[in-house]
Amino acid sequence: MTLVRWTPRLHASRDLVTMQDDVSRFIDSFFRGNVTRSEAMPFTPEVDIEETSEAFVLRADLPGVSQKDVKVSLEGDTLTIHGERKEEKSEKSGNLLRVERQAGMFERSFTLGAAVRSDGVKATYRDGVLEIHVPKAEEAKVREIEVQVAS
């Protein structure tokens, strides 16, 4: 009789991969032939947030979104990006085999966690990237304090 060492992590990861494959197949079969997926999986843009000593800088990837379909608002220290990526309408002569690009309304809100100057907010849109600069209020800026030698 040969003993085989059982490694729980190895078997668990294999089972997890198998289960993930099963779920992926189920989802693919559910949406096969269904061209409109925007209700099932709404478009959610990815956003990077950078904090400098002077401001917060947010960059949102909005490919396929028209500038006129994007709205930015600031209430207190909460910045909200709202918009819509519209579904492309075109006559196709063949069957679509896969539809992965998502469309639909989106809204992302971010609490910046510091006092900001709403009068200085600037938003620019270029090549599908929305960049928003939100300047910090004076009381929120980091100040260095010189340490003096006591005599």
Side-chain angles (χ1 to χ4, degrees):
M1 182 167 149
T2 305
L3 291 175
V4 177
R5 175 172 272 185
W6 182 69
T7 308
R9 279 188 263 163
L10 177 65
H11 293 288
S13 65
R14 188 179 318 135
D15 291 343
L16 185 59
V17 169
T18 303
M19 185 172 67
Q20 183 178 9
D21 289 343
D22 290 344
V23 170
S24 293
R25 273 195 298 279
F26 171 76
I27 291 172
D28 284 344
S29 68
F30 181 79
F31 289 111
R32 190 172 296 127
N34 184 2
V35 176
T36 306
R37 291 180 55 191
S38 61
E39 290 150 19
M41 298 181 72
F43 171 59
T44 304
E46 296 176 346
V47 177
D48 294 337
I49 303 174
E50 176 185 359
E51 181 179 8
T52 68
S53 61
E54 299 293 315
F56 293 97
V57 181
L58 292 86
R59 291 177 191 89
D61 285 342
L62 302 174
V65 178
S66 173
Q67 176 185 351
K68 65 179 177 54
D69 292 329
V70 178
K71 304 285 184 252
V72 177
S73 62
L74 180 68
E75 183 176 332
D77 67 342
T78 302
L79 182 93
T80 301
I81 304 168
H82 177 83
E84 179 178 12
R85 181 160 74 183
K86 297 184 175 151
E87 195 170 328
E88 291 181 13
K89 304 280 185 197
S90 64
E91 296 299 319
K92 303 279 185 198
S93 59
N95 291 329
L96 288 171
L97 299 178
R98 183 178 291 269
V99 177
E100 293 183 348
R101 296 183 302 151
Q102 302 162 355
M105 304 274 296
F106 64 87
E107 183 172 295
R108 301 281 318 264
S109 292
F110 305 94
T111 302
L112 302 173
V116 295
R117 288 189 18 236
S118 60
D119 60 335
V121 177
K122 289 188 172 50
T124 56
Y125 189 71
R126 188 178 78 215
D127 298 332
V129 178
L130 173 67
E131 186 169 294
I132 307 165
H133 289 262
V134 184
K136 292 181 179 178
E138 286 300 318
E139 62 268 16
K141 291 182 183 176
V142 176
R143 291 184 191 87
E144 282 193 31
I145 301 167
E146 183 181 340
V147 177
Q148 310 246 338
V149 177
S151 46

